[in-house]
Amino acid sequence: QAEVAVNEFEDQGTGAGIEKWHTCFDCGQVFHGAVKLALGWACWKTYLGRPDTDPYLCESMKTLGNALREPRPKEALPVLEANL
């Protein structure tokens, strides 16, 4: 029951689940540049304490890795590899 409550809370107000870290819930624009990078780090930090098999943690690592790919490709590679 607690897991269901957490998932319901995460889906309220600012978009559905992990999508809120990719796309503006107000206008639908995909984040880019410095905003994408900042939200990638925030996403990862939000789900960091969860078990390694948690889908939100896996998606947050993918979000961070993808945010790092363009500005910092050398830093993105280990993050993306860790998520395999």
Side-chain angles (χ1 to χ4, degrees):
Q1 285 181 343
E3 185 176 330
V4 172
V6 168
N7 289 339
E8 288 175 3
F9 174 76
E10 288 170 342
D11 292 342
Q12 291 177 7
T14 57
I18 204 80
E19 192 61 31
K20 65 185 159 198
W21 304 102
H22 301 271
T23 308
C24 176
F25 74 94
D26 194 33
C27 70
Q29 181 178 357
V30 175
F31 298 119
H32 57 89
V35 173
K36 181 178 180 177
L37 186 57
L39 288 173
W41 281 109
C43 179
W44 176 72
K45 288 178 184 177
T46 298
Y47 302 111
L48 182 58
R50 294 185 176 205
D52 290 344
T53 57
D54 184 89
Y56 280 100
L57 177 61
C58 295
E59 284 297 317
S60 72
M61 288 182 68
K62 185 168 77 173
T63 298
L64 175 59
N66 288 333
L68 286 167
R69 269 192 330 176
E70 201 171 306
R72 302 176 186 166
K74 290 181 182 178
E75 294 176 34
L77 188 57
V79 174
L80 292 169
E81 285 177 342
N83 199 34
L84 294 176

